[in-house]
Amino acid sequence: MTTRVPAPGGTTRVLLADDEHLVRGAIAALLDLEAGIEVIAQVGRGDEVLAAVVEHRPDVAVLDIEMPGMDGLSAAEQISSLCKIVILTSLGRPGYLRRAMAAGVSGFLGKDASAEELAMAIRKVQSGGRYLDAELAAAAMAAGDSPLTDRERDALRLAGDGATIARIAAELHLTEGTVRNYLSSAMTKLNAQNRLEAIRTAQRMGWL
């Protein structure tokens, strides 16, 4: 983690979380050129976000979705009561936007956005508004809600991590037969021929 001296009052204090060091550094440098914005802390792992927010008290946290330790959406759930959140993603999966909104995220845009657009998003969410990438929002609307129940999603997620039926059952406190039923139901809802196809479909849509 790298930290810097906080800016004087009136400046929006930003925490950046991205596992790509060069990308994170470039975003920080560009944001520091924007009037009224200062990056006060940076982390490279999702499981470092909460501690950094508690320590540095940023006004806005800018989080990448794909990070080691914990993904950006899970990190957002942990800090939504502590600061405003902007999600950056290079993956245009429609389900991500819906999950982000449910996690308390106020800004959501692609990594191909300009520094000016990111700064605009930061200012807007800091003032209490929302900033959503138009294309990602349209894709989310077209895709609709996930057909999976929470238990079906949990079972698929663990299966995608390589867990056996026995391990999934133990982690979810279910019987092995119930886990098989959840996985079978998920396959049917996703029109998948097998478990792997169901996992890939759910991941592509951003439902896992």
Side-chain angles (χ1 to χ4, degrees), residues 97-112:
L97 178 56
R98 291 176 179 270
R99 288 175 58 195
M101 296 299 100
V105 171
S106 299
F108 193 95
L109 64 163
K111 274 192 170 181
D112 57 351

Side-chain angles (χ1 to χ4, degrees), residues 126-142:
Q126 168 61 4
S127 66
R130 284 190 171 182
Y131 192 98
L132 304 179
D133 179 281
E135 289 187 9
L136 292 174
M141 292 285 288

Side-chain angles (χ1 to χ4, degrees), residues 94-179:
Y96 279 170
L97 178 56
R98 291 176 179 270
R99 288 175 58 195
M101 296 299 100
V105 171
S106 299
F108 193 95
L109 64 163
K111 274 192 170 181
D112 57 351
S114 66
E116 292 79 8
E117 185 177 7
L118 176 56
M120 186 185 305
I122 290 171
R123 294 187 183 103
K124 187 164 185 179
V125 303
Q126 168 61 4
S127 66
R130 284 190 171 182
Y131 192 98
L132 304 179
D133 179 281
E135 289 187 9
L136 292 174
M141 292 285 288
D145 293 322
S146 169
L148 303 174
T149 65
D150 289 343
R151 283 302 199 185
E152 289 166 351
R153 185 176 65 247
D154 289 341
L156 269 187
R157 174 178 52 79
L158 290 169
D161 290 338
T164 62
I165 295 293
R167 181 182 157 197
I168 295 172
E171 290 207 25
L172 299 182
H173 306 290
L174 301 170
T175 66
E176 293 185 21
T178 300
V179 169

Side-chain angles (χ1 to χ4, degrees), residues 38 44 67 91 129 187 199:
E38 181 166 356
M67 289 188 287
L91 302 171
M187 288 165 52
I199 292 167

Side-chain angles (χ1 to χ4, degrees), residues 36 39 47 76 79 111 128 135 140 194 198 207:
V39 178
D47 52 8
I79 64 171
K111 274 192 170 181
E135 289 187 9
N194 53 55
W207 292 334

